[in-house]
Amino acid sequence: MIQIYNTLTREKEIFQPIEAGKVRMYVCGPTVYNYIHIGNARSSMAFDTIRRYLEYRGYEVNYVSNFTDVDDKIIRAAKDLGITAPEVADRFIHAFEEDTNMLNVKPATLHPRVMDHMPDILTFIQTLIDKGYAYTSQGDVYYRTRKFEGYGKLSHQSIDELEVGASQRTGVEKELKEDPLDFALWKGAKEGEISWDSPWGAGRPGWHIECSVMATKHLGDTIDIHGGGQDLEFPHHENEIAQSEAKTGQKFANYWMHNGFVTIGEDDEKMSKSLGNFVTVHELVKQVDPQVLRFFMATTQYRRPIRYSETTMKEAGVNLQKLKNAFENLSFRKADAAIQLDEDSQKLQELADLEARFTTEMDDDFNAANGITVVYELAKWLNQYSEQEIVSTTVTEKALEQFSQWLSIFGIFFLSEELLDDDIDQLIEERNQARKNRDFARSDEIRDLLKDRGITLEDTAQGTRWRRSE
């Protein structure tokens, strides 16, 4: 029984999806104005691991993660690069896809973009105006924060505490607001910037509105899980709740999940572009194995901070190699494995016992640190079993399958000379999703990988079939 730490209640709660066997999950994606650093990538990898584990437990996960392709930072980048804002977005969406593919992050079921949802955004804002939750002011539209009862419930801040901070703000925008706490839903156009027509004049959406629009449009008024980095808890996610629940009258998300920061240096300073202390995935994967980076990131419980350093990366590489050695040791014995019915039941029970422990640990708020400890125990089991004089075909295949399944949850794939059927099916599923997202480079990469392993794919109207070469 899966338990999730819900930021909204500050407690672990038993996970009960809205629809049995299915999960509606929205995770805030990147603002695409530059290459992602490993702090950004931590969120992608953490929620990919959570998604993979939910699928391992039998859930069908509808996973939506947006691209913010309209933003002040994108506009500034466009000016610096001498290209348009859409061209900046296209360039760095492609870079994001390349980087996350190398980290074995599965493409989302859907990656919606702000620019593709302008009519939906305008309709959403107009509804808030009609309900009295928003107002116009010289071409801008603002949300009346005080009108929403319970504002601050996610970040556990009172309206009085927020008012003290907001009252310190100055500038033109403050003069346009009825209250310093109000936030922008629509920003009037500035000369030379990208804009869209609206009932309130040319402009572009505020940051917070996009996720409310895309989450409710593609997943429904109430979703199961909403995720993102801890830095989004306030104000972004707080504002999403206010907007969404004011419009629909329904609870926006049942479970709120936030991943911890990546820190760097002796002072454990948060990694960020604004502080200039970041390491981009684009550059790092030129120096280290992407699987090592994924293993390093994915095997810490998602809410915990991760301290990045060359030392911790090297430790991750050593540990990953130990797991790979265990996999290869037993894979090598497959060729001389035999039917050993007299020992199968005992060994299969040992594997089942380990599986029960793994599930127990991961069911506890996706505790990857404890889960990977059980994976290490299975690796030790593989090593000991591979040293036996005779190994069982049934036990060997089951052990390798279980080991591969668990590692795939963390985004780690070791391919034996002869791929297991489950390995092939998983790669085909990833290829199908890549094609759906029009990521043809990744689709071709998977096809070529399978071809090199002697697997031929046939795309038919009924789906993708595969066969082993003679």
Side-chain angles (χ1 to χ4, degrees):
M1 187 176 295
I2 294 174
Q3 293 189 82
I4 295 177
Y5 181 84
N6 190 347
T7 307
L8 186 66
T9 61
R10 298 294 199 266
E11 293 179 349
K12 286 183 185 178
E13 301 176 5
I14 294 173
F15 178 57
Q16 296 179 318
I18 297 166
E19 186 176 355
K22 296 184 178 182
V23 180
R24 306 173 195 176
M25 187 172 181
Y26 186 92
V27 176
C28 290
T31 300
V32 284
Y33 70 100
N34 204 334
Y35 295 107
I36 57 169
H37 60 65
I38 60 174
N40 306 138
R42 201 265 166 108
S43 184
S44 295
M45 288 183 275
F47 286 103
D48 180 63
T49 299
I50 290 166
R51 171 196 186 176
R52 287 176 181 273
Y53 183 70
L54 288 168
E55 291 173 339
Y56 170 79
R57 295 287 272 121
Y59 289 99
E60 178 186 331
V61 183
N62 189 355
Y63 184 94
V64 176
S65 184
N66 69 302
F67 288 125
T68 296
D69 58 357
V70 181
D71 181 85
D72 290 336
K73 295 173 183 176
I74 293 172
I75 292 170
R76 286 197 294 269
K79 290 178 180 177
D80 292 342
L81 295 170
I83 57 179
T84 66
E87 287 172 333
V88 170
D90 289 342
R91 175 183 297 185
F92 290 110
I93 285 173
H94 180 66
F96 173 87
E97 291 170 342
E98 285 187 334
D99 290 343
T100 52
N101 278 339
M102 286 190 287
L103 298 172
N104 290 328
V105 174
K106 291 175 65 173
T109 311
L110 184 67
H111 278 296
R113 297 176 58 166
V114 181
M115 290 188 190
D116 297 333
H117 290 75
M118 285 302 164
D120 304 298
I121 289 171
L122 298 179
T123 299
F124 198 113
I125 293 173
Q126 186 61 57
T127 301
L128 291 175
I129 293 172
D130 293 343
K131 288 190 168 188
Y133 282 96
Y135 60 92
T136 60
S137 178
Q138 298 183 37
D140 292 350
V141 181
Y142 292 96
Y143 185 91
R144 287 191 174 97
T145 302
R146 290 184 192 276
K147 186 173 175 62
F148 181 73
E149 186 176 349
Y151 187 83
K153 61 184 176 182
L154 179 68
S155 54
H156 291 244
Q157 302 180 79
S158 70
I159 202 77
D160 293 333
E161 291 171 330
L162 294 169
E163 183 178 22
V164 171
S167 64
Q168 310 299 318
R169 299 172 192 158
T170 58
V172 175
E173 188 178 46
K174 182 180 179 181
E175 302 303 318
L176 298 175
K177 297 179 181 181
E178 293 178 352
D179 188 303
L181 285 175
D182 297 346
F183 58 90
L185 301 175
W186 186 261
K187 298 180 178 181
K190 295 179 182 178
E191 186 175 353
E193 292 186 353
I194 189 170
S195 64
W196 288 262
D197 291 334
S198 82
W200 323 289
R204 56 189 172 89
W207 174 34
H208 312 297
I209 192 68
E210 64 184 77
C211 287
S212 288
V213 170
M214 290 187 278
T216 55
K217 177 180 174 65
H218 298 292
L219 295 173
D221 289 346
T222 303
I223 64 178
D224 292 303
I225 297 172
H226 195 310
Q230 286 180 350
D231 55 332
L232 299 181
E233 184 180 326
F234 184 86
H236 185 54
H237 289 167
E238 195 75 67
N239 291 350
E240 279 189 62
I241 290 174
Q243 296 163 161
S244 303
E245 296 186 2
K247 176 182 180 290
T248 68
Q250 305 294 320
K251 187 176 183 179
F252 180 36
N254 288 331
Y255 303 88
W256 285 88
M257 303 177 68
H258 294 90
N259 65 273
F261 297 130
V262 176
T263 63
I264 192 167
E266 294 182 0
D267 297 329
D268 285 336
E269 188 176 52
K270 174 197 167 187
M271 186 177 292
S272 72
K273 289 189 175 74
S274 61
L275 294 175
N277 62 354
F278 63 93
V279 180
T280 67
V281 174
H282 188 74
E283 292 300 321
L284 188 57
V285 295
K286 296 176 183 178
Q287 306 164 30
V288 302
D289 183 346
Q291 288 235 90
V292 172
L293 178 56
R294 174 67 193 246
F295 184 74
F296 169 67
M297 291 285 192
T299 52
T300 297
Q301 205 271 353
Y302 74 95
R303 288 191 289 117
R304 306 296 177 217
I306 295 178
R307 174 183 285 184
Y308 169 80
S309 70
E310 290 186 11
T311 300
T312 52
M313 284 291 293
K314 286 178 181 177
E315 290 173 355
V318 169
N319 290 331
L320 183 59
Q321 187 60 50
K322 290 177 181 178
L323 295 179
K324 188 174 183 181
N325 291 343
F327 179 79
E328 291 178 343
N329 289 342
L330 189 54
S331 296
F332 180 74
R333 294 299 309 278
K334 283 179 66 178
D336 62 2
I339 303 298
Q340 294 286 105
L341 296 178
D342 57 329
E343 72 159 15
D344 282 3
S345 59
Q346 176 191 343
K347 295 299 181 183
L348 290 174
Q349 184 58 52
E350 290 173 5
L351 292 173
D353 291 343
L354 284 170
E355 186 169 19
R357 286 184 52 205
F358 177 78
T359 300
T360 297
E361 299 295 357
M362 292 296 289
D363 275 1
D364 182 14
D365 197 30
F366 311 98
N367 197 328
N370 289 352
I372 203 66
T373 298
V374 184
V375 176
Y376 287 136
E377 291 186 32
L378 179 55
K380 182 179 179 181
W381 189 99
L382 295 184
N383 284 329
Q384 292 173 342
Y385 190 66
S386 65
E387 291 173 358
Q388 291 188 179
E389 184 176 351
I390 301 175
V391 297
S392 161
T393 300
T394 302
V395 173
T396 298
E397 290 182 349
K398 172 60 179 174
L400 290 173
E401 178 186 15
Q402 187 164 308
F403 196 57
S404 296
Q405 269 193 327
W406 289 1
L407 286 170
S408 71
I409 292 168
F410 301 103
I412 303 299
F413 297 89
F414 301 144
L415 301 180
S416 58
E417 287 303 312
E418 181 179 359
L419 289 174
L420 299 174
D421 288 0
D422 282 352
D423 295 329
I424 297 169
D425 290 339
Q426 192 165 41
L427 286 167
I428 289 174
E429 179 188 350
E430 183 178 347
R431 176 175 176 265
N432 289 340
Q433 189 62 56
R435 295 173 73 194
K436 184 178 178 181
N437 292 338
R438 304 186 67 79
D439 185 358
F440 299 118
R442 179 59 176 164
S443 171
D444 292 343
E445 181 184 351
I446 294 171
R447 175 186 280 275
D448 292 342
L449 183 152
L450 290 171
K451 184 178 180 181
D452 290 343
R453 297 288 181 142
I455 307 299
T456 301
L457 302 184
E458 297 177 1
D459 294 317
T460 71
Q462 291 73 39
T464 301
R465 301 172 181 169
W466 62 269
R467 58 182 172 80
R468 298 184 189 273
S469 302
E470 295 294 332

